[in-house]
Amino acid sequence: MTMVKASMAGTVWKILVSEGEKVEAGQDVVILESMKMEIPIAAEETGTVKQVIATEGDFINVDDDLVEIE
């Protein structure tokens, strides 16, 4: 099990995956918005999305869990 974590604080602008979806290492799974910039957050490992923790519009902090992959 791997958690995709936020690399910086910001607002969850878009969630690109859904539960049960297969993802590849390096695939963008969430896009954060911070200071009018879009920051893509990628999966570090190949696997299946077990849970999408973040919700679009949420404000998140550095190292907050966004997506769980197994």
Side-chain angles (χ1 to χ4, degrees):
M1 177 182 72
T2 301
M3 286 292 185
V4 177
K5 295 184 175 279
S7 57
M8 64 185 304
T11 302
V12 177
W13 183 70
K14 190 160 197 158
I15 296 174
L16 304 174
V17 296
S18 56
E19 293 177 9
E21 184 175 338
K22 292 192 186 308
V23 294
E24 299 291 324
Q27 178 181 338
D28 292 342
V29 294
V30 174
I31 298 177
L32 301 180
E33 189 275 327
S34 181
M35 298 181 288
K36 302 202 187 248
M37 293 178 16
E38 294 174 13
I39 300 99
I41 307 296
E44 295 177 10
E45 295 183 11
T46 298
T48 303
V49 176
K50 181 176 180 186
Q51 180 181 14
V52 176
I53 299 162
T55 303
E56 290 181 6
D58 283 355
F59 181 83
I60 48 93
N61 292 299
V62 176
D63 288 334
D64 280 358
D65 295 335
L66 301 173
V67 177
E68 182 180 351
I69 297 173
E70 64 177 4

